[in-house]
């Protein structure tokens, strides 16, 4: 445990020292992974699938504000869908406009949640984002997580409906519109997941703010159980065809990663909890103080040992006049 704490202090020190260089690299990697995922999920426009295009867009995102990543990701999705079907691109564009209004109105600072939620859904660890949002964000973060779920569900729906949309004639535009809109509105799996994640964010946020010991750990476990329970109830009611094994595995892995997140941002020693009471002219104060677990980084001191010769300086030589003065001063007087 001590080695992990020392490693954490080293990482925090490195990040604090080189933050100006690390932040652009993080934004570059996040935008690159997001665009690669979009290309693999859709990939209808060949020019956007080129690695040079992805790298240029990712480099552009690394030096611009975080919200610009959302604009670039949405632009990639719309262009892919435009190449595939104009009707599909128009419907998804309208949906994105609604989501952007909700996002910028309630949680415009949670860009990472919007981008990481589809990535975590692709990696089959979808519960990580609502747990992280509840631990580090506010109840408004549920909007960002919900937008991320909607984006992933839209891409998944279009990918699964390629054969059905291609079988429709070009002249039946209204039929395509109706098929796409009905498919998105009646997507029970997407609606159940959005509700489950929103409830999970609220549960985790409420529990981790309690003044009980190990509140963050309790919040992680309760949040994972809440998400799985809501999804299972939704599966029983609307038959969303959720896999129990996949849900349980994803919940366990997500809870473990959320616990790792807690280790880096909220690691306290409940065994040394202190209760402090004081008062002023108007109030009595009862304070519960819990110390953080910190370990000083070991400092290495290098001591150089060298063999030095003793510096022996010979006495100064006396000149002739100095010898005469010495003899005169040493002469005995009778």
């Amino acid at each position: 445990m001590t080695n992990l704490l020392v490693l954490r202090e080293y990482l925090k020190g490195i990040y604090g020292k080189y933050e100006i260089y690390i932040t652009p690299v993080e934004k570059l990697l996040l935008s690159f992974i997001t665009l690669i995922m979009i290309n693999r999920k859709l990939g209808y426009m060949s020019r956007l699938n080129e690695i040079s295009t992805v790298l240029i867009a990712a480099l552009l995102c690394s030096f611009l504000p975080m919200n610009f990543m959302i604009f670039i990701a949405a632009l990639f999705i719309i262009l892919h869908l435009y190449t595939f079907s104009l009707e599909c691109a128009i419907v998804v564009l309208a949906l994105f406009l609604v989501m952007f209004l909700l996002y910028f109105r309630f949680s415009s600072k949670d860009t990472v949640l919007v981008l990481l939620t589809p990535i975590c859904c692709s990696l089959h660890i979808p519960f990580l984002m609502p747990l992280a949002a509840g631990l580090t964000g506010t109840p408004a973060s549920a909007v960002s997580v919900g937008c991320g779920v909607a984006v992933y569900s839209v891409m998944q729906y279009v990918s699964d409906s390629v054969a059905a949309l291609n079988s429709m004639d070009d002249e039946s535009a209204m039929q395509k519109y109706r098929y796409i809109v009905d498919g998105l509105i009646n997507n029970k799996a997407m609606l159940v997941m959005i509700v489950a994640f929103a409830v999970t964010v609220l549960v985790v946020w409420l529990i981790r703010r309690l003044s009980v010991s190990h509140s963050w750990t309790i919040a992680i476990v309760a949040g994972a159980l809440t998400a799985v329970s809501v999804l299972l109830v939704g599966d029983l009611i609307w038959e969303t065809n959720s896999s129990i094994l996949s849900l349980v595995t994803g919940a366990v892995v997500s809870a473990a990663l959320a616990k790792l997140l807690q280790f880096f941002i909220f690691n306290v020693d409940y065994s040394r909890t202190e209760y402090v009471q004081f008062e002023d002219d108007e109030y009595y104060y009862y304070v519960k103080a819990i110390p953080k677990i910190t370990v000083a980084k070991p400092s290495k001191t290098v001591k150089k040992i060298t063999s030095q010769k003793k510096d022996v300086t010979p006495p100064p030589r006396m000149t002739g006049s100095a010898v005469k003065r010495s003899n005169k001063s040493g002469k005995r007087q009778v």
Side-chain angles (χ1 to χ4, degrees):
M1 185 64 180
T2 304
N3 294 331
L4 293 177
L5 293 174
V6 172
L7 176 62
R8 185 190 67 173
E9 296 300 324
Y10 270 120
L11 294 177
K12 290 172 63 176
I14 293 174
Y15 189 85
K17 186 177 181 180
Y18 301 103
E19 182 180 3
I20 190 174
Y21 306 107
I22 295 176
T23 300
V25 175
E26 290 177 345
K27 295 165 67 175
L28 173 66
L29 293 176
L30 178 59
S31 56
F32 181 79
I33 294 173
T34 301
L35 298 179
I36 288 293
M37 182 203 67
I38 293 173
N39 289 342
R40 289 186 176 181
K41 204 72 177 178
L42 301 176
Y44 301 114
M45 182 176 283
S46 58
R47 182 165 295 181
L48 294 182
N49 293 328
E50 296 177 359
I51 192 66
S52 58
T53 305
V54 175
L55 283 175
I56 292 173
L59 286 172
L60 190 61
C61 292
S62 65
F63 295 101
L64 292 174
M66 287 287 292
N67 286 325
F68 187 77
M69 292 187 192
I70 298 181
F71 173 75
I72 292 295
L75 182 62
F76 266 60
I77 294 174
I78 295 299
L79 291 176
H80 279 303
L81 295 180
Y82 174 78
T83 305
F84 169 66
S85 171
L86 176 61
E87 296 82 6
C88 190
I90 293 175
V91 173
V92 174
L93 177 60
L95 178 63
F96 280 0
L97 290 177
V98 174
M99 287 193 298
F100 284 163
L101 291 176
L102 292 174
Y103 165 74
F104 284 109
R105 173 64 180 83
F106 294 102
S107 55
S108 58
K109 296 182 180 180
D110 293 333
T111 309
V112 176
L113 297 178
V114 180
L115 298 175
L116 286 181
T117 300
I119 296 175
C120 291
C121 291
S122 301
L123 298 176
H124 304 289
I125 49 174
F127 307 114
L128 176 59
M129 284 301 100
L131 294 178
L135 293 175
T136 60
T138 63
S141 302
V143 176
S144 299
V145 177
C147 291
V149 172
V151 171
Y152 175 78
S153 300
V154 167
M155 291 191 296
Q156 186 67 39
Y157 174 75
V158 173
S159 179
D160 296 338
S161 304
V162 171
L165 292 172
N166 286 331
S167 63
M168 298 179 183
D169 298 332
D170 295 335
E171 298 178 357
S172 58
M174 292 303 299
Q175 186 178 358
K176 287 185 178 180
Y177 281 123
R178 183 175 300 174
Y179 180 83
I180 297 169
V181 173
D182 290 343
L184 293 177
I185 294 177
N186 297 324
N187 192 344
K188 304 299 182 182
M190 178 184 70
L191 298 177
V192 170
M193 185 171 289
I194 291 175
V195 173
F197 283 11
V199 174
T200 301
V201 172
L202 293 176
V203 169
V204 174
W205 180 79
L206 288 173
I207 295 178
R208 65 101 171 169
R209 289 171 55 88
L210 298 178
S211 61
V212 297
S213 299
H214 307 284
S215 59
W216 281 51
T217 303
I218 297 172
I220 292 173
V221 176
L225 293 177
T226 300
V228 173
S229 301
V230 174
L231 289 175
L232 290 178
V233 171
D235 182 50
L236 291 175
I237 297 175
W238 290 290
E239 297 181 358
T240 56
N241 298 322
S242 300
S243 173
I244 298 178
L245 180 60
S246 177
L247 292 178
V248 173
T249 304
V252 172
V253 176
S254 300
L257 294 176
K259 187 66 178 176
L260 180 63
L261 176 66
Q262 176 194 347
F263 174 77
F264 280 97
I265 64 176
F266 186 80
N267 193 20
V268 296
D269 186 3
Y270 286 102
S271 63
R272 295 190 292 136
T273 302
E274 297 181 359
Y275 295 90
V276 182
Q277 176 182 350
F278 56 94
E279 63 177 289
D280 60 12
D281 294 337
E282 298 181 357
Y283 295 96
Y284 285 96
Y285 299 92
Y286 300 90
V287 179
K288 180 180 180 180
I290 306 174
K292 296 180 179 179
I293 300 178
T294 57
V295 175
K297 293 187 295 184
S299 58
K300 297 181 180 179
T301 57
V302 179
K303 185 176 181 180
K304 296 181 67 175
I305 301 176
T306 57
S307 58
Q308 297 180 350
K309 294 182 179 180
K310 189 175 181 181
D311 187 13
V312 179
T313 56
R317 295 182 62 184
M318 301 178 67
T319 60
S321 57
V323 171
K324 290 180 180 180
R325 288 196 301 271
S326 177
N327 291 335
K328 288 180 180 180
S329 60
K331 188 176 179 179
R332 185 177 179 183
Q333 296 181 358
V334 181

